[in-house]
Amino acid sequence: MGRQAISESNGFKFLITLVTAVGGGIIFYLLNTPIPWLLGPMIAVLIGSNVWKGKYRWPRQIRNSGMMIVGYTIGLSMTGTALKEMGAQLPTMCLMTVILLLLCGGIAFAVSRLSDTDFMTALLGSIPGGLSQVLALAEETKGVNLTVVTVTQVVRLMIIVIGIPLLVFSPIFGQVHDAAAAAVPIAAKHENWAALFPNILIFAPVCVICAIAGNRIKFPTAFLLGPAISTAILQGIGLHGPSLPSTLISASQLMIGTYVGLLLKPGKLQRKVRTFSFAIVSGLVLMLCAWALSELMTLLHPVSRSTALLSLAPGGMDQMGILAHEINADLSMVSGYQLFRTFFIYFAVSPLLRLLLRIKLKSPRTEQPQ
């Protein structure tokens, strides 16, 4: 009885999850894969949690801590020069975001026609917004299948998180990932923990306070944007933000990757094969559309193909920011495009979807008397 109580405790479940995540990260690191501490824990925990059900637990607070670390790193890249360059590209940001969202609407329409999924469920599953914001909207919406939306969003996110690095590091984009060669300069440059002090004693509490305050006022992806914006402001007033050790950045990847891996729960689906098939196909189509738009972006602006792809990839800002940091892409540009799309979806698309839902819910009532 004592052993059973221990195995069912939250502490034991967390330990199992941590060991699985670290093991996955080590395996992917030894295999010399891109962003091993994000992909390794994500895939390892996904497999483990579906094989050994009910034995895994990863508190949201740990994931939020990883988001704050990534947000701080993004904030470091938001210098005055970078913000001016982003401002000059505002029309392109708007154009690319609108085109990408229209493509999502087209994909959702096709999925709803080819399957028995209603259009609003398919649309909420296709929108490349923040996962938490889309799921919150789905929970508030009557008639939407929350399980299908969750699975579709997570599958799309995993396709992007796995597929984009493979695409970026392929011969098509010319990026080379050599962990052994890169380890020495990265360690020499970023493992100086003493260099964090004393300025980190100012940046760290400000980032945490802004993240918590942003979350209280329902700010989109507050645990990422709060630290990013506060770090940019502190740097703007003259404070120097120290670079983080690579070990801490790897830990943030593990915190986020493990959380994403636990989101996918196939057991809750009634028609697993059909739902997963449409989710995978729509995710791949969306990634290819983003690739095509990135090629157009390189023609409009003097940016690298990798920067353009990461800027338009319909994944999370945290994952794309991690990858941009690893390949030395223009992190401020990637963050700017991802940030613009997040705000656009939150402040423009979400109200529009709610309006469409109200119209849809009212229409049957008006038809009943007839």
Side-chain angles (χ1 to χ4, degrees), residues 8 36 83 106 118 139 154 163 175 192 227 245 258 261 306 310 330 340 345 347:
E8 291 179 355
L83 292 174
D118 66 277
E139 286 177 339
V154 174
Q175 294 287 346
N192 186 5
T258 304
S306 299
L310 294 177
D330 190 336
F340 180 85
I345 290 172
F347 291 111

Side-chain angles (χ1 to χ4, degrees), residues 270-322:
Q270 295 180 345
R271 299 181 179 179
K272 298 180 179 63
V273 176
R274 175 178 292 186
T275 303
F276 272 99
S277 298
F278 280 111
I280 292 171
V281 171
S282 61
L284 289 173
V285 170
L286 196 55
M287 187 174 71
L288 292 175
C289 290
W291 182 10
L293 287 176
S294 71
E295 295 295 331
L296 175 60
M297 181 177 165
T298 59
L299 298 177
L300 298 174
H301 298 284
V303 297
S304 68
R305 298 174 73 195
S306 299
T307 296
L309 179 61
L310 294 177
S311 298
L312 299 175
M317 192 194 316
D318 47 345
Q319 288 90 11
M320 296 305 105
I322 288 170

Side-chain angles (χ1 to χ4, degrees), residues 3 25 39 71 114 208 293 322 350:
R3 288 184 179 179
L39 299 183
L114 297 173
V208 172
L293 287 176
I322 288 170
S350 293

Side-chain angles (χ1 to χ4, degrees), residues 116-172:
D116 57 355
T117 305
D118 66 277
F119 176 71
M120 291 310 302
T121 297
L123 184 60
L124 288 172
S126 302
I127 289 179
L131 183 63
S132 57
Q133 279 76 41
V134 174
L135 294 184
L137 180 59
E139 286 177 339
E140 298 170 2
T141 306
K142 294 180 180 179
V144 169
N145 190 323
L146 181 60
T147 302
V148 172
V149 172
T150 304
V151 169
T152 306
Q153 282 283 344
V154 174
V155 168
R156 174 189 59 78
L157 180 60
M158 296 187 76
I159 288 173
I160 298 300
V161 172
I162 295 172
I164 292 294
L166 294 177
L167 192 57
V168 168
F169 288 105
S170 69
I172 300 172

Side-chain angles (χ1 to χ4, degrees), residues 78 97 101 128-130 133 218-222 225-226 229 317 335-351:
M78 292 184 177
T97 299
L101 292 175
Q133 279 76 41
K218 307 298 182 183
F219 198 69
T221 54
L225 296 184
I229 294 172
M317 192 194 316
S335 304
Y337 272 81
Q338 294 284 346
L339 177 61
F340 180 85
R341 189 174 70 232
T342 299
F343 278 118
F344 189 86
I345 290 172
Y346 188 79
F347 291 111
V349 176
S350 293

Side-chain angles (χ1 to χ4, degrees), residues 48-307:
S49 62
N50 284 282
V51 172
W52 198 12
K53 296 180 181 179
K55 301 298 182 182
Y56 283 74
R57 181 177 181 271
W58 195 251
R60 181 185 289 268
Q61 292 85 345
I62 297 179
R63 174 257 195 179
N64 291 341
S65 299
M67 296 274 280
M68 285 190 280
I69 295 172
V70 175
Y72 171 78
T73 304
I74 291 172
L76 290 180
S77 69
M78 292 184 177
T79 61
T81 304
L83 292 174
K84 288 180 181 178
E85 187 177 351
M86 286 163 52
Q89 294 202 30
L90 192 59
T92 307
M93 287 183 183
C94 186
L95 175 64
M96 295 296 179
T97 299
V98 170
I99 292 175
L100 188 62
L101 292 175
L102 289 175
L103 290 170
C104 292
I107 292 171
F109 180 77
V111 169
S112 66
R113 288 291 184 179
L114 297 173
S115 67
D116 57 355
T117 305
D118 66 277
F119 176 71
M120 291 310 302
T121 297
L123 184 60
L124 288 172
S126 302
I127 289 179
L131 183 63
S132 57
Q133 279 76 41
V134 174
L135 294 184
L137 180 59
E139 286 177 339
E140 298 170 2
T141 306
K142 294 180 180 179
V144 169
N145 190 323
L146 181 60
T147 302
V148 172
V149 172
T150 304
V151 169
T152 306
Q153 282 283 344
V154 174
V155 168
R156 174 189 59 78
L157 180 60
M158 296 187 76
I159 288 173
I160 298 300
V161 172
I162 295 172
I164 292 294
L166 294 177
L167 192 57
V168 168
F169 288 105
S170 69
I172 300 172
F173 281 76
Q175 294 287 346
V176 178
H177 179 74
D178 188 350
V184 175
I186 288 176
K189 185 177 181 180
H190 296 296
E191 287 300 340
N192 186 5
W193 289 83
L196 292 174
F197 299 95
N199 285 9
I200 197 65
L201 298 178
I202 299 174
F203 279 86
V206 170
C207 287
V208 172
I209 291 170
C210 288
I212 295 174
N215 187 56
R216 289 282 178 89
I217 63 174
K218 307 298 182 183
F219 198 69
T221 54
F223 287 98
L224 185 78
L225 296 184
I229 294 172
S230 60
T231 299
I233 293 174
L234 288 175
Q235 287 200 130
I237 63 176
L239 288 176
H240 169 68
S243 299
L244 297 179
S246 60
T247 303
L248 194 56
I249 293 173
S250 297
S252 69
Q253 296 179 24
L254 183 143
M255 295 175 190
I256 296 169
T258 304
Y259 181 83
V260 175
L262 283 177
L263 287 176
L264 196 56
K265 296 178 174 62
K268 292 186 177 181
L269 286 178
Q270 295 180 345
R271 299 181 179 179
K272 298 180 179 63
V273 176
R274 175 178 292 186
T275 303
F276 272 99
S277 298
F278 280 111
I280 292 171
V281 171
S282 61
L284 289 173
V285 170
L286 196 55
M287 187 174 71
L288 292 175
C289 290
W291 182 10
L293 287 176
S294 71
E295 295 295 331
L296 175 60
M297 181 177 165
T298 59
L299 298 177
L300 298 174
H301 298 284
V303 297
S304 68
R305 298 174 73 195
S306 299
T307 296

